[in-house]
Amino acid sequence: MDAALSDRLAEVQARIVAAAARSGRPAEAVTLVAVSKQMPAGLIAAAYALGLRDFGENRSAELETKSAHLSHLPDLRWHMIGTLQARQSLPVAQRAACFHAVDRVRIADRLARQLEEVNRRLPVFIEVNISGEAGKSGLEASRWETDPDQQANLAAVCATIAALPRIEVQGLMTMAPWDAPTAEIRAVFRRTRALAEWLAARIPNGRWDRLSMGMTDDFETAIEEGATHVRIGRAIFGARA
Ligand SMILES: *Cc1c(COP(=O)(O)O)cnc(C)c1O
């Protein structure tokens, strides 16, 4: 057994428990998605042996290969956490337990048709760009509280996605700015949660009470602001090459 892995995992889990308590929630309210991108299947199997069941990959081909290698672990759930190119969508429709980065109607529509063919349903998060950083993926939402055009666009796009067959909207996903002051990061998470509540009041389909936010450097802040899914790589598996 990988001692470093079990030590790091225990520390992350303890920090999740403490942060959840600060947000007035039990630790079970927070799903730990262990981001295993670039990590070998053997290390994922070791993490599985330590009790982890949810693993995140950001490339569809890698998710496909690893899920084939580890298909003997039937209750292992694969989360696609990265932007999805149209031509790479089929493995996600076939194998993913959840897709965290829906950023346009077209990809959701394509997945809905493929899910019909493979007779599956797919829980998804809609990714929003709250910080407004250029080059960041997600629906543009940097001025959602005050800009009527942005509000109209967000409401229309999210309603269209939530109405698709076989696509089960869970809520919103966001990425905080990298290396920003904690107050700024916290504001991004808080505004994401407020947007999810705003959408919930306007869109009949889907549930909007789940939030995928928080990574190695900011997951405690995210949990304090209501994250239900944290996507943590380096703090569990160590630095990537
Ligand atoms: C890599 C990645 C993570 C995990 O990042 P760490 O800093 O290793 O915790 C989370 N979310 C997404 C979308 C990622 O690509």
Side-chain angles (χ1 to χ4, degrees), residues 33-39 56-59 80-83 100-101 127 137 173-175 178 212 214-219 230-240:
V33 178
V35 176
S36 51
K37 63 187 182 194
Q38 297 173 41
M39 296 296 160
E57 294 286 337
N58 70 336
R59 293 182 58 245
M80 176 62 181
I81 61 172
T83 306
H100 292 239
E127 183 176 0
S137 51
M173 180 275 228
T174 204
M175 307 239 270
W178 192 75
S212 173
M215 315 181 8
T216 287
D217 293 328
D218 55 23
F219 71 88
V230 288
R231 311 176 310 270
I232 302 178
R234 289 169 297 137
I236 296 171
F237 294 113
R240 289 179 290 273

